[in-house]
Amino acid sequence: MNMKTKVYLAGGMNQSNWQKNVIESINSENFIFYNPREHSLTDSTEYTFWDLFYVKQSDILFAYMQSDNPSGIGLTLEVGYARAMDKSIILIDEKSKVDKNFAARFEIVRESATIVFDNLEDGINFLKKIMNGITLPK
């Protein structure tokens, strides 16, 4: 039986729709993606429940801190929760390159990740390597 790797997509909900880009770039039947952009929940109690429920279900947290993300508070919660459950975390941190004050505060999140990239393309390429059988450490 072929088990699918479950990936939670954590990060901003701006107009870029980066989540769709990730899913389409991978284009694999080996992954199940949990995409919070698609749940359409607006009540904070409901979307927080949904987010944490699916972080718990996931094998990998794919977290994208875009340079224009105003705070990253939700992403920070999701990374911390995933770390507490010993999930593999792929973090793409574009914001720390352009905002040194943010970088100093975000270092704890970077340290909590399994692996960190500074651009989305590198993160997607790494996810493709996992699709091709490279084992990701915890």
Side-chain angles (χ1 to χ4, degrees):
M1 182 168 88
N2 186 10
M3 299 291 288
K4 293 184 177 190
T5 301
K6 294 172 271 194
V7 180
Y8 182 90
L9 302 173
M13 299 294 182
N14 68 10
Q15 300 297 346
S16 74
N17 200 3
W18 65 269
Q19 298 91 341
K20 182 179 178 184
N21 182 21
V22 171
I23 294 167
E24 289 177 353
S25 294
I26 300 299
N27 192 23
S28 170
E29 294 184 10
N30 297 329
F31 288 101
I32 295 171
F33 289 97
Y34 300 128
N35 183 357
R37 181 180 285 278
E38 295 177 349
H39 63 50
S40 300
L41 300 171
T42 57
D43 178 83
S44 63
T45 302
E46 292 176 359
Y47 65 70
T48 301
F49 177 91
W50 191 99
D51 293 351
L52 297 181
F53 178 85
Y54 283 104
V55 169
K56 188 174 183 177
Q57 304 305 311
S58 68
D59 301 303
I60 299 170
L61 183 88
F62 188 92
Y64 180 32
M65 175 52 76
Q66 292 171 276
S67 60
D68 62 352
N69 188 320
S71 72
I73 291 172
L75 178 142
T76 300
L77 169 65
E78 293 157 345
V79 168
Y81 191 63
R83 180 68 177 166
M85 290 184 297
D86 202 28
K87 303 288 183 179
S88 296
I89 302 166
I90 300 169
L91 174 64
I92 295 88
D93 177 15
E94 293 179 349
K95 189 164 185 163
S96 290
K97 289 188 303 187
V98 298
D99 184 339
K100 296 307 174 192
N101 290 326
F102 174 84
R105 295 186 311 273
F106 199 66
E107 191 60 32
I108 192 169
V109 178
R110 292 176 62 91
E111 291 295 327
S112 297
T114 310
I115 191 165
V116 180
F117 298 99
D118 63 7
N119 66 76
L120 184 58
E121 183 178 342
D122 288 348
I124 291 171
N125 288 335
F126 187 74
L127 199 54
K128 288 178 183 177
K129 290 178 183 177
I130 294 168
M131 176 180 69
N132 293 323
I134 292 174
T135 304
L136 182 64
K138 291 279 186 192

